[in-house]
Amino acid sequence: MKRPSSFSRRTLLAGTAITVAVSAAQGITRVARADDKATKEQAKYQDHPKGQQRCEICVNFQPPNRCAFVQGDISPKGWCQFFAARDNAH
Ligand code: SF4
C-alpha cells in the first residue's frame, strides 16, 4: 500500500482548513438569518393566552417582551402557533 506523500498531507490539511473556514462563515450567516423572524400575522400571534399556553412559559420567550421566532414586542400573556412549553412550565 502506498503512503501519501507530504505534499498530499499538506494539501489535505489545507483543504481541511478551508472547509473549517467555510463552515465558520456559514455559521455566521446562519446567525445573521436568525433575525429573520415571522410576522405576528404569520405566527397567528394573539395578545392573550390560549388556554394555559402563553409566551411567559414558552421556550422561545425572551423576557421581558421579545420572542425568538416572532417580530416586535410581544406580551408575556400572549400566544402564537409556535408555542412550545418549557420543561418546567406550569
Ligand atoms: S408563544 Fe409564540 S410568540 Fe409567544 S414566546 Fe412562544 S413562540 Fe414566541
Side-chain angles (χ1 to χ4, degrees), residues 40-87:
K40 289 177 180 171
E41 188 173 78
Q42 290 168 331
K44 299 186 180 358
Y45 173 81
Q46 60 190 39
D47 62 2
H48 54 277
K50 181 175 184 181
Q52 295 297 311
Q53 298 180 354
R54 57 197 186 279
C55 296
E56 65 187 353
I57 61 168
C58 175
V59 295
N60 303 312
F61 183 56
Q62 299 173 332
N65 61 351
R66 303 292 281 192
C67 171
F69 286 167
V70 178
Q71 295 175 357
D73 291 347
I74 60 163
S75 168
K77 303 294 184 196
W79 176 90
C80 87
Q81 65 175 346
F82 300 130
F83 174 85
R86 291 191 317 238
D87 284 342

